[in-house]
């Protein structure tokens, strides 16, 4: 089984989401000892912002590509094929300015490719990245999950759920530490709650659908 471990926090050793992705991957490996892990640090290796030079996979242009277009295509192709090859994807998604880090958004812009992760049909869009499990390690300074007002303000977990669903990923799970900016006691409680949910995922996660197809 292939697991892709992604981090996108800019906070280095102090990062809560990096701590949670590491714990999540370790728990998954303990449960599935043969898992092969690849790692993508979207801060150390940030894809550039999406530009017109990167548009060819979306427009379908394959001829007369400029050097800049070819360079951008190579970046996007590497990222989309890495994503498609994974059975399990663990994504560190810190909550920055009510949303996700721009590095993580840049990655999504690169893998959102018609014919690879989605396609449009007569009956509407269809996701093509099916059969994966995605675990989002979400870290938030404040608390947003417990009120309607909070949920309306967050464009991080809800956005990731939407875009991954658009890509055809139906098994999206969350490991959440929220309120980590609300004092030491709140942070400790948030980390304990996230650790508990990592344990529960590790104990209960079913074999990803693609594995069952292969069996
Ligand atoms: C640039 C930046 C923006 C942030 N914006 C918000 C915010 O809008 N709301 C909030 O509750 N916390 C915010 N925080 C706090 C983070 O959500 C919190 O520190 C979380 O742990 C970030 O994940 P990380 O530790 O993996 O970087 C922000 C932190 C940073 C560094």
């Amino acid at each position: 089984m292939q697991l892709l471990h992604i981090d996108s926090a800019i906070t280095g050793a102090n990062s809560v989401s990096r701590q949670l992705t590491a714990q999540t991957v370790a728990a998954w490996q303990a449960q599935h000892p043969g898992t092969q892990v690849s790692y993508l640090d979207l801060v150390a290796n940030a894809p550039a912002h999406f530009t017109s030079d990167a548009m060819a996979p979306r427009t379908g242009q394959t001829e007369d590509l400029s050097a800049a277009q070819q360079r951008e295509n190579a970046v996007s192709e590497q990222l989309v094929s890495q994503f498609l090859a994974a059975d399990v994807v663990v994504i560190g998604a810190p909550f920055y300015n009510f949303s996700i880090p721009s590095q993580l958004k840049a990655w999504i812009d690169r893998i959102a490719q018609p014919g690879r992760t989605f396609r449009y049909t007569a009956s509407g869009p269809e996701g093509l990245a099916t059969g994966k499990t995605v675990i989002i390690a979400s870290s938030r300074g404040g608390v947003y999950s417990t009120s309607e007002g909070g949920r309306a303000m967050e464009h991080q977990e809800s956005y990731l759920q939407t875009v991954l669903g658009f890509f055809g990923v139906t098994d999206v799970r969350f490991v959440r530490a929220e309120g980590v900016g609300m004092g030491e006691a709140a942070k400790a409680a948030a980390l304990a709650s996230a650790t508990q949910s990592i344990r529960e995922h590790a104990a209960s996660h079913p074999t990803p659908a693609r594995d069952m197809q292969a069996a």
Side-chain angles (χ1 to χ4, degrees), residues 9-11 14-18 93-99 139-144 177 180-181:
I10 61 171
T11 44
N14 296 322
S15 164
V16 173
S17 63
R18 284 177 185 262
F95 191 68
Y96 293 161
N97 300 318
F98 299 94
S99 186
S139 51
R140 298 167 161 179
V143 173
Y144 296 84
V180 301

mmCIF file of all heavy atoms in Angstrom, residues 9-11 14-18 93-99 139-144 177 180-181, ligand 1:
data_model
loop_
_atom_site.group_PDB
_atom_site.id
_atom_site.type_symbol
_atom_site.label_atom_id
_atom_site.label_comp_id
_atom_site.label_asym_id
_atom_site.label_seq_id
_atom_site.Cartn_x
_atom_site.Cartn_y
_atom_site.Cartn_z
ATOM 1 N N ALA A 9 2.516 23.233 6.728
ATOM 2 C CA ALA A 9 2.642 24.284 7.747
ATOM 3 C C ALA A 9 3.956 25.024 7.594
ATOM 4 O O ALA A 9 4.993 24.417 7.331
ATOM 5 C CB ALA A 9 2.560 23.666 9.144
ATOM 6 N N ILE A 10 3.897 26.344 7.806
ATOM 7 C CA ILE A 10 5.097 27.183 7.691
ATOM 8 C C ILE A 10 5.834 27.287 9.025
ATOM 9 O O ILE A 10 6.844 27.965 9.121
ATOM 10 C CB ILE A 10 4.731 28.606 7.216
ATOM 11 C CG1 ILE A 10 3.782 29.294 8.224
ATOM 12 C CG2 ILE A 10 4.134 28.575 5.819
ATOM 13 C CD1 ILE A 10 3.550 30.776 7.951
ATOM 14 N N THR A 11 5.326 26.615 10.058
ATOM 15 C CA THR A 11 5.793 26.863 11.425
ATOM 16 C C THR A 11 6.859 25.877 11.910
ATOM 17 O O THR A 11 7.189 25.855 13.095
ATOM 18 C CB THR A 11 4.579 26.843 12.367
ATOM 19 O OG1 THR A 11 3.750 25.733 12.016
ATOM 20 C CG2 THR A 11 3.763 28.111 12.249
ATOM 21 N N ASN A 14 7.611 24.012 15.470
ATOM 22 C CA ASN A 14 6.496 24.355 16.366
ATOM 23 C C ASN A 14 5.138 23.962 15.795
ATOM 24 O O ASN A 14 4.105 24.198 16.430
ATOM 25 C CB ASN A 14 6.472 25.871 16.622
ATOM 26 C CG ASN A 14 7.701 26.322 17.352
ATOM 27 O OD1 ASN A 14 8.188 25.616 18.233
ATOM 28 N ND2 ASN A 14 8.230 27.467 16.971
ATOM 29 N N SER A 15 5.133 23.381 14.625
ATOM 30 C CA SER A 15 3.864 23.117 13.943
ATOM 31 C C SER A 15 3.062 22.009 14.615
ATOM 32 O O SER A 15 3.565 20.912 14.864
ATOM 33 C CB SER A 15 4.141 22.703 12.491
ATOM 34 O OG SER A 15 3.001 22.099 11.934
ATOM 35 N N VAL A 16 1.803 22.306 14.872
ATOM 36 C CA VAL A 16 0.887 21.300 15.416
ATOM 37 C C VAL A 16 0.494 20.303 14.327
ATOM 38 O O VAL A 16 0.486 19.095 14.541
ATOM 39 C CB VAL A 16 -0.365 21.983 16.014
ATOM 40 C CG1 VAL A 16 -1.407 20.942 16.422
ATOM 41 C CG2 VAL A 16 0.021 22.858 17.200
ATOM 42 N N SER A 17 0.194 20.809 13.130
ATOM 43 C CA SER A 17 -0.268 19.884 12.075
ATOM 44 C C SER A 17 0.842 18.928 11.653
ATOM 45 O O SER A 17 0.575 17.762 11.345
ATOM 46 C CB SER A 17 -0.817 20.657 10.872
ATOM 47 O OG SER A 17 0.183 21.437 10.273
ATOM 48 N N ARG A 18 2.094 19.392 11.668
ATOM 49 C CA ARG A 18 3.206 18.478 11.327
ATOM 50 C C ARG A 18 3.328 17.376 12.379
ATOM 51 O O ARG A 18 3.603 16.218 12.048
ATOM 52 C CB ARG A 18 4.528 19.259 11.199
ATOM 53 C CG ARG A 18 4.610 20.044 9.904
ATOM 54 C CD ARG A 18 5.883 20.885 9.805
ATOM 55 N NE ARG A 18 5.853 21.703 8.603
ATOM 56 C CZ ARG A 18 6.453 21.391 7.448
ATOM 57 N NH1 ARG A 18 7.200 20.313 7.358
ATOM 58 N NH2 ARG A 18 6.346 22.172 6.394
ATOM 59 N N ALA A 93 -3.015 20.192 7.349
ATOM 60 C CA ALA A 93 -3.743 21.369 6.858
ATOM 61 C C ALA A 93 -3.946 22.365 7.988
ATOM 62 O O ALA A 93 -4.982 22.365 8.658
ATOM 63 C CB ALA A 93 -5.086 20.934 6.275
ATOM 64 N N PRO A 94 -2.954 23.224 8.230
ATOM 65 C CA PRO A 94 -3.147 24.244 9.259
ATOM 66 C C PRO A 94 -4.170 25.291 8.812
ATOM 67 O O PRO A 94 -4.382 25.481 7.618
ATOM 68 C CB PRO A 94 -1.753 24.861 9.403
ATOM 69 C CG PRO A 94 -1.017 24.529 8.169
ATOM 70 C CD PRO A 94 -1.623 23.280 7.603
ATOM 71 N N PHE A 95 -4.776 25.900 9.799
ATOM 72 C CA PHE A 95 -5.813 26.917 9.555
ATOM 73 C C PHE A 95 -5.149 28.284 9.555
ATOM 74 O O PHE A 95 -4.750 28.797 10.601
ATOM 75 C CB PHE A 95 -6.835 26.808 10.694
ATOM 76 C CG PHE A 95 -8.102 27.585 10.513
ATOM 77 C CD1 PHE A 95 -9.014 27.236 9.542
ATOM 78 C CD2 PHE A 95 -8.423 28.634 11.362
ATOM 79 C CE1 PHE A 95 -10.215 27.929 9.399
ATOM 80 C CE2 PHE A 95 -9.617 29.328 11.240
ATOM 81 C CZ PHE A 95 -10.516 28.970 10.257
ATOM 82 N N TYR A 96 -4.962 28.862 8.374
ATOM 83 C CA TYR A 96 -4.341 30.173 8.263
ATOM 84 C C TYR A 96 -5.336 31.143 7.634
ATOM 85 O O TYR A 96 -5.827 30.910 6.520
ATOM 86 C CB TYR A 96 -3.086 30.112 7.377
ATOM 87 C CG TYR A 96 -1.909 29.317 7.933
ATOM 88 C CD1 TYR A 96 -0.913 28.864 7.085
ATOM 89 C CD2 TYR A 96 -1.777 29.034 9.293
ATOM 90 C CE1 TYR A 96 0.182 28.149 7.567
ATOM 91 C CE2 TYR A 96 -0.694 28.321 9.790
ATOM 92 C CZ TYR A 96 0.282 27.879 8.921
ATOM 93 O OH TYR A 96 1.360 27.170 9.400
ATOM 94 N N ASN A 97 -5.600 32.206 8.340
ATOM 95 C CA ASN A 97 -6.482 33.261 7.809
ATOM 96 C C ASN A 97 -7.780 32.683 7.246
ATOM 97 O O ASN A 97 -8.171 32.962 6.121
ATOM 98 C CB ASN A 97 -5.721 34.109 6.767
ATOM 99 C CG ASN A 97 -4.498 34.752 7.402
ATOM 100 O OD1 ASN A 97 -4.571 35.235 8.532
ATOM 101 N ND2 ASN A 97 -3.369 34.736 6.730
ATOM 102 N N PHE A 98 -8.394 31.846 8.074
ATOM 103 C CA PHE A 98 -9.704 31.234 7.809
ATOM 104 C C PHE A 98 -9.689 30.186 6.698
ATOM 105 O O PHE A 98 -10.731 29.696 6.278
ATOM 106 C CB PHE A 98 -10.781 32.302 7.518
ATOM 107 C CG PHE A 98 -10.969 33.217 8.693
ATOM 108 C CD1 PHE A 98 -10.284 34.413 8.770
ATOM 109 C CD2 PHE A 98 -11.793 32.853 9.750
ATOM 110 C CE1 PHE A 98 -10.409 35.235 9.889
ATOM 111 C CE2 PHE A 98 -11.931 33.665 10.865
ATOM 112 C CZ PHE A 98 -11.241 34.859 10.939
ATOM 113 N N SER A 99 -8.503 29.828 6.231
ATOM 114 C CA SER A 99 -8.437 28.880 5.113
ATOM 115 C C SER A 99 -7.170 28.033 5.227
ATOM 116 O O SER A 99 -6.646 27.848 6.325
ATOM 117 C CB SER A 99 -8.499 29.679 3.800
ATOM 118 O OG SER A 99 -8.583 28.817 2.704
ATOM 119 N N SER A 139 -5.226 21.765 12.183
ATOM 120 C CA SER A 139 -4.850 22.471 13.417
ATOM 121 C C SER A 139 -5.354 23.908 13.326
ATOM 122 O O SER A 139 -5.193 24.571 12.302
ATOM 123 C CB SER A 139 -3.327 22.448 13.598
ATOM 124 O OG SER A 139 -2.676 22.899 12.430
ATOM 125 N N ARG A 140 -5.986 24.351 14.421
ATOM 126 C CA ARG A 140 -6.638 25.666 14.405
ATOM 127 C C ARG A 140 -6.381 26.411 15.714
ATOM 128 O O ARG A 140 -6.500 25.825 16.793
ATOM 129 C CB ARG A 140 -8.157 25.478 14.285
ATOM 130 C CG ARG A 140 -8.597 24.803 13.015
ATOM 131 C CD ARG A 140 -10.040 24.365 13.121
ATOM 132 N NE ARG A 140 -10.652 24.123 11.830
ATOM 133 C CZ ARG A 140 -11.899 23.707 11.650
ATOM 134 N NH1 ARG A 140 -12.683 23.479 12.697
ATOM 135 N NH2 ARG A 140 -12.367 23.519 10.453
ATOM 136 N N GLY A 141 -6.096 27.700 15.585
ATOM 137 C CA GLY A 141 -5.888 28.509 16.782
ATOM 138 C C GLY A 141 -7.146 28.650 17.606
ATOM 139 O O GLY A 141 -7.135 28.546 18.831
ATOM 140 N N GLY A 142 -8.274 28.897 16.950
ATOM 141 C CA GLY A 142 -9.556 29.042 17.636
ATOM 142 C C GLY A 142 -10.403 27.792 17.471
ATOM 143 O O GLY A 142 -9.963 26.800 16.899
ATOM 144 N N VAL A 143 -11.621 27.879 17.996
ATOM 145 C CA VAL A 143 -12.556 26.749 17.918
ATOM 146 C C VAL A 143 -13.664 27.119 16.926
ATOM 147 O O VAL A 143 -14.326 28.145 17.091
ATOM 148 C CB VAL A 143 -13.156 26.429 19.305
ATOM 149 C CG1 VAL A 143 -14.250 25.378 19.197
ATOM 150 C CG2 VAL A 143 -12.050 25.956 20.251
ATOM 151 N N TYR A 144 -13.823 26.299 15.918
ATOM 152 C CA TYR A 144 -14.787 26.598 14.854
ATOM 153 C C TYR A 144 -15.824 25.502 14.640
ATOM 154 O O TYR A 144 -16.807 25.714 13.946
ATOM 155 C CB TYR A 144 -14.045 26.848 13.526
ATOM 156 C CG TYR A 144 -13.153 28.053 13.575
ATOM 157 C CD1 TYR A 144 -11.865 27.960 14.096
ATOM 158 C CD2 TYR A 144 -13.606 29.298 13.156
ATOM 159 C CE1 TYR A 144 -11.042 29.069 14.186
ATOM 160 C CE2 TYR A 144 -12.798 30.420 13.234
ATOM 161 C CZ TYR A 144 -11.519 30.302 13.761
ATOM 162 O OH TYR A 144 -10.717 31.410 13.849
ATOM 163 N N ALA A 177 -7.097 19.303 15.852
ATOM 164 C CA ALA A 177 -6.705 19.952 17.110
ATOM 165 C C ALA A 177 -7.112 21.411 16.956
ATOM 166 O O ALA A 177 -6.498 22.145 16.181
ATOM 167 C CB ALA A 177 -5.210 19.831 17.336
ATOM 168 N N VAL A 180 -5.856 25.637 19.762
ATOM 169 C CA VAL A 180 -4.465 25.542 20.224
ATOM 170 C C VAL A 180 -3.873 26.914 20.551
ATOM 171 O O VAL A 180 -2.819 26.988 21.183
ATOM 172 C CB VAL A 180 -3.562 24.797 19.202
ATOM 173 C CG1 VAL A 180 -4.063 23.398 18.943
ATOM 174 C CG2 VAL A 180 -3.417 25.574 17.905
ATOM 175 N N GLY A 181 -4.567 27.981 20.167
ATOM 176 C CA GLY A 181 -4.096 29.327 20.499
ATOM 177 C C GLY A 181 -4.820 29.915 21.694
ATOM 178 O O GLY A 181 -4.706 31.111 21.968
HETATM 179 C C1 LIG B 1 -0.258 32.824 9.233
HETATM 180 C C2 LIG B 1 -1.195 32.310 10.279
HETATM 181 C C3 LIG B 1 -2.539 32.601 10.184
HETATM 182 C C4 LIG B 1 -3.425 32.117 11.144
HETATM 183 N N1 LIG B 1 -4.754 32.408 11.033
HETATM 184 C C5 LIG B 1 -5.625 31.934 11.958
HETATM 185 C C6 LIG B 1 -7.023 32.194 11.854
HETATM 186 O O1 LIG B 1 -7.503 32.827 10.906
HETATM 187 N N2 LIG B 1 -7.839 31.699 12.815
HETATM 188 C C7 LIG B 1 -7.367 30.952 13.861
HETATM 189 O O2 LIG B 1 -8.148 30.509 14.684
HETATM 190 N N3 LIG B 1 -6.050 30.676 13.976
HETATM 191 C C8 LIG B 1 -5.175 31.154 13.063
HETATM 192 N N4 LIG B 1 -3.835 30.879 13.174
HETATM 193 C C9 LIG B 1 -3.393 29.962 14.240
HETATM 194 C C10 LIG B 1 -3.204 28.561 13.650
HETATM 195 O O3 LIG B 1 -4.418 28.043 13.158
HETATM 196 C C11 LIG B 1 -2.631 27.598 14.682
HETATM 197 O O4 LIG B 1 -1.411 28.134 15.173
HETATM 198 C C12 LIG B 1 -2.369 26.225 14.101
HETATM 199 O O5 LIG B 1 -1.671 25.441 15.048
HETATM 200 C C13 LIG B 1 -1.581 26.307 12.806
HETATM 201 O O6 LIG B 1 -1.080 25.037 12.401
HETATM 202 P P1 LIG B 1 0.504 24.752 12.509
HETATM 203 O O7 LIG B 1 0.820 24.781 13.993
HETATM 204 O O8 LIG B 1 0.678 23.416 11.905
HETATM 205 O O9 LIG B 1 1.215 25.839 11.770
HETATM 206 C C14 LIG B 1 -2.950 31.356 12.231
HETATM 207 C C15 LIG B 1 -1.567 31.075 12.317
HETATM 208 C C16 LIG B 1 -0.702 31.545 11.354
HETATM 209 C C17 LIG B 1 0.760 31.206 11.460
#
